[in-house]
Amino acid sequence: MAGLVEFKQHPSSTLKAGSGFVLAEVDPDSTPGFTGNKADGQALLADLDDKLAQLQEQLFAESRFGGTKRILLILQAMDTAGKGGIVKHVMAAMDPQGVQFKAFKAPTEEEKSYDFLWRIEKEVPAAGMVGVFDRSHYEDVLIHMVHGWAAPAELKRRYEAINEFEARLTDSGTRIVKVMLNISKDEQKARLLARLDDPAKHWKYSSGDLTERAFWDDYMSAYQAAIDNTNTEAAPWHVIPANKKWFARIAVQQLLLAAFDDLHLEWPKAEFDVGVERELVARS
Amino acid sequence: MAGLVEFKQHPSSTLKAGSGFVLAEVDPDSTPGFTGNKADGQALLADLDDKLAQLQEQLFAESRFGGTKRILLILQAMDTAGKGGIVKHVMAAMDPQGVQFKAFKAPTEEEKSYDFLWRIEKEVPAAGMVGVFDRSHYEDVLIHMVHGWAAPAELKRRYEAINEFEARLTDSGTRIVKVMLNISKDEQKARLLARLDDPAKHWKYSSGDLTERAFWDDYMSAYQAAIDNTNTEAAPWHVIPANKKWFARIAVQQLLLAAFDDLHLEWPKAEFDVGVERELVARS
């Protein structure tokens, strides 16, 4: 077997939304920093599973001894962009015991009666955990902007509230990985048709998908605005070309690995005398 | 590659605690119904991952259309018996979005102020989900019996409450898979020593493990009593020989597959006209 193809440039730099970032200029078919093909990508993904699993275990282990570090992966995207596949193929490498997954659906009446961050706050990851948000508080500045459910002044208030919220998470030990999976409108069409062609996937299809699809350009504007207003140093946006599912998966995996690296994790030191305990166990 | 070795007799019968069941007569080294070796077991486990994943997705899909079926796997065992490995190696085949994992630790002061089932009730799986309890309400009749924290009359009350609780879960669509992983006292010693020999595993070791180990025989009596008193038709116990980790994993996988089979799952039928939607998407 030939050697692994690795990233030439790291996604944490190539996919980061810098100043003057323009969403429309991202090519959803591209694979920035990676010259390999699908098979190369899948091999890389599999190869790094163990590393990701070990880092997650170290994060969890630290928290048992007072560590407060944690990771929060925020996934935003248009329908069919592959959020579920990221959860299944990237996060599945980690121990389910250390992963806190939350899919945010349309808010309930009770949730709507509070500020939009109320239901989000309750789901932030505990110390030592890797949290995954499938959709998030960003829906409140995306779909709400698209359909005019929030006026410009209210959207401005929400952007600021989000930035304060995310800074507070960061200050209390959370490393935020904020991701938009970026597919093209044509790719969405192909994926919707594929769902309709497979009876095992009909349950994933809803005619509501088409309703939102009609607002595609408005959604792109809303994403651009959200990125412009919430692309902070504490929680920068990464926009991942996602027409190629395999690329989106290795890109998210790389971002997670970089987030773990930033945390400088180590196995907790034994707080007992190993030799003494060994003797006690042997005699027991 | 040679063919897969499969179970000659199904674990749902061979490992089920029947009337007159005696825990002390189970050989923790045995592999009932399975004649293969470790490699055969690992191959079987991997081979059935996709089937398990599909069944879990069907369960989840049904719930999106009003289905109320769900599965609850209850894992009980002495320390080091491999509960974590079951979660990591069996449950990981399923989509994390469809699995509700809960590890029950020593209860908090608030939890203690309520009836013992209060904190359990809050964690039962939602419709369409696979719940996993790493320890459970059974701690309240195991460690409490071992240390005399509950008098015989109170233990009796709890057994009855557990049976009523589990029958209620079953009546509302939950298929309960209740498992004790059964290791030998010598095997536990070997595993504790292995933890002490590996600095990456020191965080899992606590001198409290040795304290409880000293009560080994009392724990076995408490398990026997729990099985005698809560081995119901709705939620029978399965005692899995667990000295061989690979065997415990394939046995639990088989029990889960049988539970899914009992639910007679199907992909939800489309509630829309596929042809019409196809046309609408194509034109969009």
Side-chain angles (χ1 to χ4, degrees):
Chain A
M1 172 178 152
L4 277 180
V5 179
E6 303 193 41
F7 275 87
K8 303 272 180 281
Q9 291 159 286
H10 200 282
S12 58
S13 58
T14 52
L15 305 181
K16 192 167 173 174
S19 73
F21 171 82
V22 179
L23 179 58
E25 290 174 0
V26 175
D27 176 2
D29 272 313
S30 62
T31 62
F34 192 78
T35 55
N37 59 21
K38 179 174 178 177
D40 296 322
Q42 289 173 329
L44 182 63
L45 187 74
D47 185 67
L48 291 171
D49 268 355
D50 285 349
K51 188 174 177 196
L52 199 57
Q54 188 200 304
L55 287 164
Q56 179 266 316
E57 189 178 345
Q58 285 184 318
L59 179 65
F60 187 82
E62 275 203 0
S63 74
R64 301 297 103 162
F65 294 83
T68 58
K69 297 169 188 170
R70 65 204 90 191
I71 283 179
L72 174 59
L73 173 65
I74 298 176
L75 293 171
Q76 283 291 154
M78 298 298 284
D79 278 338
T80 78
K83 290 190 276 64
I86 298 286
V87 172
K88 198 162 171 181
H89 296 277
V90 182
M91 309 311 289
M94 305 184 206
D95 193 330
Q97 298 163 80
V99 177
Q100 251 177 275
F101 173 82
K102 177 64 185 178
F104 288 98
K105 309 287 181 192
T108 63
E109 287 305 314
E110 186 193 22
E111 287 169 347
K112 280 194 232 173
S113 75
Y114 292 90
D115 177 69
F116 74 107
L117 289 172
W118 180 78
R119 65 173 187 157
I120 309 293
E121 183 85 57
K122 293 195 290 183
E123 303 291 343
V124 300
M129 301 294 282
V130 179
V132 185
F133 284 177
D134 174 349
R135 305 185 187 277
S136 66
H137 41 294
Y138 283 100
E139 292 298 317
D140 295 277
V141 292
L142 292 168
I143 190 169
H144 283 239
M145 180 175 177
V146 166
H147 295 299
W149 300 339
E154 171 62 10
L155 288 171
K156 183 164 181 293
R157 184 192 74 82
R158 291 185 190 178
Y159 295 137
E160 283 164 14
I162 287 173
N163 289 339
E164 285 163 14
F165 169 66
E166 292 182 352
R168 185 156 52 79
L169 290 183
T170 305
D171 289 345
S172 58
T174 310
R175 182 72 174 67
I176 298 176
V177 179
K178 209 157 69 180
V179 161
M180 182 219 178
L181 301 177
N182 184 37
I183 57 168
S184 65
K185 195 176 177 191
D186 282 349
E187 178 67 19
Q188 189 190 54
K189 180 190 285 191
R191 293 185 187 182
L192 288 172
L193 290 174
R195 281 187 184 175
L196 288 168
D197 288 342
D198 181 355
K201 292 195 171 139
H202 284 171
W203 70 276
K204 291 186 177 181
Y205 181 88
S206 141
S207 49
D209 298 348
L210 263 187
T211 316
E212 295 309 309
R213 175 171 166 76
F215 292 95
W216 188 276
D217 292 344
D218 297 322
Y219 270 104
M220 292 306 113
S221 300
Y223 269 106
Q224 179 71 54
I227 293 168
D228 288 345
N229 285 285
T230 63
N231 196 32
T232 59
E233 204 162 321
W237 275 99
H238 290 83
V239 175
I240 301 185
N243 276 6
K244 297 183 170 72
K245 288 180 184 173
W246 61 265
F247 178 77
R249 291 170 191 169
I250 56 176
V252 172
Q253 187 190 50
Q254 293 286 327
L255 294 177
L256 284 169
L257 287 167
F260 277 112
D261 276 346
D262 282 354
L263 296 178
H264 304 292
L265 301 165
E266 290 182 12
W267 292 115
K269 295 266 182 303
E271 291 181 340
F272 47 81
D273 183 313
V274 176
V276 168
E277 293 295 323
R278 222 187 173 290
E279 187 58 30
L280 289 169
V281 172
R283 282 209 308 261
S284 72
Chain B
M1 171 180 152
L4 275 182
V5 179
E6 301 194 43
F7 275 87
K8 302 273 180 279
Q9 293 158 284
H10 201 282
S12 58
S13 60
T14 53
L15 305 181
K16 192 169 174 172
S19 74
F21 171 82
V22 180
L23 179 58
E25 289 174 1
V26 175
D27 176 3
D29 272 313
S30 63
T31 61
F34 192 78
T35 55
N37 59 21
K38 180 175 177 176
D40 296 321
Q42 289 172 331
L44 182 63
L45 187 74
D47 185 66
L48 291 171
D49 268 356
D50 284 348
K51 189 175 176 195
L52 198 57
Q54 188 200 303
L55 288 164
Q56 179 266 316
E57 189 178 345
Q58 284 184 317
L59 179 66
F60 187 81
E62 276 203 359
S63 73
R64 300 299 103 162
F65 294 82
T68 58
K69 298 169 187 169
R70 63 205 94 190
I71 284 180
L72 174 59
L73 172 66
I74 299 176
L75 294 170
Q76 283 290 155
M78 299 297 284
D79 279 338
T80 77
K83 288 190 277 66
I86 297 286
V87 173
K88 197 163 171 177
H89 296 277
V90 182
M91 309 311 289
M94 305 183 205
D95 193 329
Q97 298 163 80
V99 177
Q100 248 177 278
F101 173 83
K102 177 65 186 179
F104 288 99
K105 309 288 182 192
T108 62
E109 287 305 314
E110 186 193 21
E111 288 169 346
K112 279 195 234 174
S113 76
Y114 292 91
D115 177 70
F116 75 108
L117 289 172
W118 179 79
R119 65 173 186 158
I120 308 293
E121 184 84 58
K122 292 195 290 182
E123 304 290 344
V124 300
M129 301 293 283
V130 179
V132 184
F133 284 178
D134 174 350
R135 306 186 186 278
S136 67
H137 40 294
Y138 284 99
E139 292 298 317
D140 295 276
V141 293
L142 292 168
I143 190 170
H144 283 238
M145 179 175 179
V146 166
H147 295 299
W149 299 340
E154 170 63 10
L155 288 172
K156 184 164 178 299
R157 184 192 75 82
R158 292 185 190 177
Y159 294 137
E160 285 166 12
I162 287 172
N163 289 339
E164 285 163 14
F165 170 66
E166 292 181 354
R168 185 156 51 79
L169 290 183
T170 305
D171 290 344
S172 59
T174 310
R175 181 77 173 62
I176 298 177
V177 180
K178 208 157 71 180
V179 160
M180 182 220 178
L181 301 177
N182 184 36
I183 55 167
S184 65
K185 195 176 177 190
D186 281 349
E187 179 67 20
Q188 189 190 55
K189 180 190 284 190
R191 292 186 187 182
L192 287 172
L193 289 174
R195 281 188 183 174
L196 288 168
D197 288 343
D198 181 354
K201 292 196 170 137
H202 284 169
W203 70 275
K204 293 186 177 182
Y205 182 87
S206 139
S207 50
D209 298 349
L210 263 187
T211 316
E212 296 308 310
R213 177 170 164 77
F215 293 95
W216 188 276
D217 293 344
D218 297 322
Y219 270 104
M220 292 305 113
S221 300
Y223 269 106
Q224 179 72 54
I227 293 168
D228 288 345
N229 286 286
T230 63
N231 196 33
T232 60
E233 205 163 320
W237 275 100
H238 290 85
V239 175
I240 300 185
N243 276 7
K244 295 184 171 73
K245 287 180 185 173
W246 62 265
F247 178 76
R249 291 171 192 170
I250 56 176
V252 171
Q253 188 191 49
Q254 293 284 326
L255 294 177
L256 284 168
L257 287 167
F260 277 111
D261 276 347
D262 282 355
L263 296 178
H264 305 291
L265 300 166
E266 289 183 12
W267 292 117
K269 296 264 183 302
E271 292 181 340
F272 46 82
D273 184 314
V274 177
V276 168
E277 293 296 324
R278 220 187 174 292
E279 188 57 32
L280 289 171
V281 171
R283 282 211 305 264
S284 71

